Structures are given as structure tokens and as C-alpha cells.
Amino acid sequence: MALPAGTGRVAYNAAISRCARAGLYPRAFALFREMRGHGMRADEYTLPPLLNAAALLRAPPAARALHALLLRAGLASHLHVANALVDAYAKLSRLDAARAVFDEMARRDVVTWTSLLTGLARAGAHDAAVRVYGGMVDEGVQPDEFAVAAVLSSCAGSTMLELGRSVHAAVVWLGLEPFLSVGNSLVSMYAKTGALQDAQMVFDAARARCTITWTALIVGYAQNGRGRQSLEIYTDMVRSGCRPDYVTFIGLLFACSHAGLVDAGRAHFQSMVTDYGITPGPDHYACMVDLFGRAGRLEEAMDLLNRSTTELDATVWKALLGACRVHRNAELAERAAEMVWRLDPKDAVPYVMLANLYSRARRWDDVARIRVLMKSRGITKEPGCSWVGVNGVTHLFHVEDRGHPRAAEIYQKVEEMTERIRAEGYVPDTDWALQDEAPEGRERGLAYHSERLAVAFGLLAVPAAAPIRVFKNLRVCGDCHAAIKIVTKLYGREIILRDANCFHHMKDGACSCGDYW
């Protein structure tokens, strides 16, 4: 419905703003077109709500058109207009455009910096987000609760625990602790970087909690190999009157899967539907498949999938494929791989898993067939790498990597580790090595896996009183898992290894995962 004849620009601006705030984005644009049809030009109050509407409508062309209009109108010098433009491009994941506008601004405030920072963090550009936060602090701009929540998210995503601690210190100094979003981000950051005691401390000190707070702790305990504690926290959550959501149940089912709690997993999966009316999604089904698969109940996993009315994605079938690899069920693995290829043709995981399964069965022709198939389809495997941080510097390693400045010392330490763990009874599990190498080559290859090199460097460089924190982009090799556990016993060190699946807190020869991961 059009505004009355004779309505001025101020009234149009007010109506556009009200519509944008109310989520009536198409109506806001309709009013804008009507306004321009009456010959009225946009001003610095017209464009910010429209830019926000364009972002929330996921409409990059509209944002670009508004950008062109404000440049022609000479409105780019208005700080709140430029801020709205940075924010719109950031929300639309047009990060280069957001950065370009940001760099051209003669003046910036906390909103400018926070808009770019949150956009980068949301897009997973964590290193860039951290750099923006550093620039913000260097410029003397005091971060607000939105900025610290975003940078804490990036600290978690890029495993920068020490930076996360420094941000926590800034939170205390700035008096931002009462903000719920900040507390939630702190719990999540500590949990995702393996500092579970700190996550619990922040949770216990929180003045207010919501579903996100509880869920962050539940997921944190699950990912850190404390599945039973996750279930206990969930019980406390329900008793407190806080209602679980979709993500809460992903954490619960993940916890059950990694603790081998099949009956509890079934019960929570059912409760999600019957007690809370939450329709299971692909993530829930992937956890249930993993739960049944780890327990060797592949038939139950398939029965669950056959009865599902949810559209299943590649994650679900990769979970089944992983279970098939563990239990060496080639026939079902091939079916699962075909489903992954259908849903995500460029994913290298099914090729790698099938090749590993075939190699363990000494089916060399099938291994060769998979490798040829990968090459013909242009599929490349993500190279495994591990890293460890020391004094704010990240040290990255690949398999048989000799590029580190201290490579000679690291390899000497690896040889020392190998001799000592062999004396303790360690026997290399060459099922985890390249099967078409000679036996001595397979054993040597295992000794120089990236996680083993990172641990050796940690023994050399990390102070004895501190845990060695190693991160790996892929799932940890089973042989390395066994070897590193013995290293913790022989060297009296705590090693916290986070792989693509979960955290492994290793100490005194044992791991938090209970060798069930």
C-alpha cells in the first residue's frame, strides 16, 4: 500500500526504517521505489536500513545497486552509511568488497571494525578476523561485546588458545563479562581449544545462562572425550528449566557415540522427537549411524536410515563408510561410497576410506582402481598436517617433513621416542601405513607421521610444566594414537591432541577417548 500523496522524504525514510526493523524487507524496497518515483532522492538515512534489508534478503545485486547509488549521491563519506555498506557486504560473505570499502574509509569507529570482524569470523576466515581484531586494538578502538564474541569464535576456529586467554583478560578489564553472548563465546572457545576446566569455570561463574550456554558445555565435554559428563550436564540443564534445541541433541548424540552409550543414544534420539518436537536432521542421523557403527551394529544403522524421512546428506553416508572401514565390511562400504559420490562428487573421503579398506584386505587391484578413479575425476586428497603453538608461533608439520629449522633435533627426538616406546612394548601397527611399501618402509613411514613430528617438537620446545597441544586437520592415525599414549607415560607429559573428530587428552599412558573414537 502506497503512502499518501504529498508524503515527504522524512516520512518515507521513517516508513522504510520501520519495515526493515520489522523484517518486511520487500515492503521496504517497494517504498524506496515509490519514493524515487516521486522524484525524491535518497539521503544518508534512507540507505542504511535498505542495505541491511539487502543483506538479510541474501541479495548481493541489491547491495551492489545501493552501493552504486550512494557513490553517485556522494553519501560514502557518511560514517553510518559506510558502516552499513561494510556490514551488508560482510553478511553477504562478499568479504573482498567489505574490506575494500573498509580500507577506503577516512574514519572508522567500533561499528566499522566489528562489522568486518564478525563477517570474517562468520565466513570462517579466522586468521583474517584475528588480524582485524589486532588492528582494532592497535588503533585504540575499544572492542564491544559483539567484537569480542566474534574474535573468540575465531580463536576457537583457529585453535588460538593463548590469544583467547588474552581476549578473556580484555573482557574482564572492559567489564564485558555480564553480556550473555560474551560468556557463551568464552565457554565455546575454551571447550573447542581443549581447555575444558576453563570452560567449566566460565560456565560456573556465568550470571545468566541460556540454551546456547548449556549446549556449548555439553558439546565441549563430548568433544573432549567426557561423554558421560555431557549427559550429566544435560540432566542439569533440563532440571534448570532450560529447553534443549536442535544443536543440543547433536552434542548429546555425539557424546553417546564417543562413549559407546547405545541405549542412551537411542533414548535421546527418541526424546528429541517425542518430548521436544524436534525433527532429526542429517547431523543427528550421522551421530546415530556413528553410534551404531562403532558398536558393530551396522544392520541397525541401515535400518534407521531406511526408515528415515529426512533428506540425508553426504555426512551421514560418510559416517556409515567410516563404520564399514572399522568393521571391514567392503560391500556396505561400496554402497555408502556411491551415495557420497552422488551427493558430493568432489569429496575425497570415500576414495581414501575405500582404498584403506581394500589395502587392509590386500585387494591391490581394487586399491589401484580407486586411485585411477580419483585421478580420472580430478580428486585430490587433503594432505594431512599437524601443528603445535609455542610462544604465539604456530609450527606446522607434514608427513616426513624436514622443512623445520630444527628438523635435525626433531628427527633425533623421534628416533629417541621410537626406541623408548619399543622398549615399553610398542609394536607398530602397519595397517595404518601405505600397504604397497616394504615392511621396513611402512614402519619408518609411521614413525614420521605429522602428529609424531609435532609431538617430538613439543617435547623439545614446550615447557615441562605445560601440556603439549597438538592439532591435526584429519583423523589421528591409530598407530600414532597408541604410540603417543606411551610417550605421555615415559616422558611424564600431558599431550592434548585434537584431530578432525575430537580431542584426545593423553596422560600417564591413557587417553580420554578410552581408545574408542
Side-chain angles (χ1 to χ4, degrees):
M1 185 173 65
L3 293 184
T7 300
R9 183 166 61 185
V10 172
Y12 268 106
N13 284 347
I16 288 169
S17 181
R18 282 197 302 271
C19 287
R21 284 199 303 270
L24 303 174
Y25 309 125
R27 173 64 177 148
F29 277 103
L31 286 170
F32 177 57
R33 289 191 294 271
E34 182 183 307
M35 171 184 169
R36 297 192 73 197
H38 290 310
M40 285 176 270
R41 297 178 62 184
D43 63 12
E44 67 269 27
Y45 302 105
T46 316
L47 296 178
L50 289 170
L51 284 164
N52 188 52
L56 296 174
L57 280 171
R58 309 300 301 166
R64 289 195 296 268
L66 291 168
H67 187 181
L69 187 151
L70 70 88
L71 288 174
R72 289 196 302 271
L75 298 174
S77 60
H78 292 272
L79 181 60
H80 64 285
V81 174
N83 282 349
L85 187 57
V86 171
D87 185 60
Y89 278 134
K91 285 176 178 174
L92 289 165
S93 299
R94 300 302 195 269
L95 300 180
D96 289 343
R99 185 78 214 207
V101 175
F102 178 91
D103 289 340
E104 290 171 1
M105 293 174 67
R107 188 163 60 94
R108 307 179 187 118
D109 62 7
V110 65
V111 176
T112 325
W113 288 94
T114 301
S115 295
L116 183 61
L117 173 56
T118 53
L120 291 166
R122 193 184 303 114
H126 299 306
D127 290 343
V130 166
R131 287 193 296 271
V132 168
Y133 177 80
M136 180 181 189
V137 173
D138 290 343
E139 289 286 325
V141 178
Q142 183 170 296
D144 61 12
E145 67 272 22
F146 304 107
V148 296
V151 77
L152 285 168
S153 172
S154 285
C155 289
S158 56
T159 66
M160 296 183 182
L161 174 60
E162 293 312 310
L163 177 60
R165 290 194 196 282
S166 71
V167 175
H168 188 179
V171 164
V172 174
W173 184 74
L174 294 169
L176 299 175
E177 290 173 292
F179 288 98
L180 186 58
S181 62
V182 173
N184 291 345
S185 297
L186 281 168
V187 173
S188 182
M189 183 276 294
Y190 281 126
K192 289 181 178 178
T193 52
L196 204 51
Q197 288 183 333
D198 294 285
Q200 183 69 61
M201 177 192 69
V202 174
F203 179 88
D204 290 340
R207 300 179 189 178
R209 298 170 186 152
C210 65
T211 299
I212 295 172
T213 326
W214 286 97
T215 298
L217 198 64
I218 288 168
V219 172
Y221 270 93
Q223 290 180 331
N224 282 273
R226 305 285 195 268
R228 293 181 185 276
Q229 288 95 323
S230 280
L231 301 191
E232 292 170 4
I233 294 165
Y234 174 71
T235 299
D236 292 340
M237 175 184 182
V238 174
R239 284 175 181 163
S240 76
C242 193
R243 186 179 179 85
D245 64 9
Y246 185 98
V247 180
T248 309
F249 281 99
I250 294 175
L252 280 176
L253 296 176
F254 184 94
C256 293
S257 170
H258 286 252
L261 303 172
V262 176
D263 291 339
R266 275 204 210 93
H268 285 302
F269 187 78
Q270 184 64 33
S271 169
M272 174 174 60
V273 179
T274 58
D275 296 338
Y276 297 100
I278 299 171
T279 301
D283 290 321
H284 302 109
Y285 278 100
C287 288
M288 290 301 292
V289 167
D290 193 54
L291 172 66
F292 288 131
R294 289 170 186 273
R297 303 183 183 186
L298 296 178
E299 289 185 5
E300 287 186 65
M302 281 307 303
D303 180 60
L304 178 70
L305 297 185
N306 290 334
R307 289 186 287 108
S308 168
T309 57
T310 299
E311 186 173 345
L312 305 176
D313 64 12
T315 305
V316 179
W317 296 104
K318 282 192 284 188
L320 181 62
L321 185 52
C324 292
R325 183 187 64 175
V326 171
H327 298 288
R328 307 194 181 192
N329 186 326
E331 182 180 352
L332 189 54
E334 289 162 353
R335 178 181 170 188
E338 287 290 346
M339 291 301 298
V340 178
W341 289 332
R342 187 182 305 172
L343 293 164
D344 190 357
K346 294 297 182 181
D347 194 331
V349 169
Y351 299 91
V352 174
M353 285 190 175
L354 274 182
N356 288 344
L357 191 153
Y358 290 143
S359 65
R360 288 187 179 189
R362 308 295 191 264
R363 291 170 55 174
W364 305 120
D365 288 345
D366 287 319
V367 172
R369 176 175 58 83
I370 292 296
R371 289 178 178 172
V372 168
L373 193 61
M374 284 186 73
K375 187 174 182 179
S376 68
R377 294 179 177 177
I379 306 298
T380 55
K381 175 188 173 184
E382 181 184 5
C385 64
S386 301
W387 60 97
V388 59
V390 178
N391 296 326
V393 178
T394 299
H395 300 262
L396 181 69
F397 301 92
H398 292 88
V399 64
E400 299 186 9
D401 191 346
R402 292 184 180 272
H404 195 277
R406 299 179 66 179
E409 291 177 80
I410 292 167
Y411 271 73
Q412 186 177 3
K413 180 61 74 171
V414 168
E415 290 164 11
E416 174 193 299
M417 286 163 44
T418 303
E419 288 179 11
R420 291 189 64 180
I421 63 177
R422 279 183 180 276
E424 190 69 16
Y426 160 77
V427 177
D429 181 357
T430 55
D431 273 352
W432 294 92
L434 293 173
Q435 296 297 317
D436 44 3
E437 288 186 349
E440 62 274 12
R442 293 201 295 269
E443 291 188 18
R444 186 171 57 253
L446 288 170
Y448 301 122
H449 275 187
S450 65
E451 54 264 61
R452 208 87 64 102
L453 295 174
V455 165
F457 176 72
L459 290 172
L460 291 168
V462 177
I468 299 169
R469 298 178 182 274
V470 175
F471 301 88
K472 184 171 182 181
N473 64 329
L474 305 177
R475 189 174 186 268
V476 63
C477 155
D479 180 73
C480 287
H481 187 270
I484 294 169
K485 280 197 307 176
I486 302 173
V487 167
T488 65
K489 176 182 177 183
L490 296 177
Y491 288 83
R493 299 297 297 267
E494 179 184 2
I495 297 175
I496 301 172
L497 170 61
R498 194 192 87 170
D499 66 6
N501 207 19
C502 64
F503 277 93
H504 302 267
H505 292 256
M506 301 182 187
K507 190 175 182 180
D508 299 327
C511 182
S512 59
C513 73
D515 300 333
Y516 192 79
W517 88 100

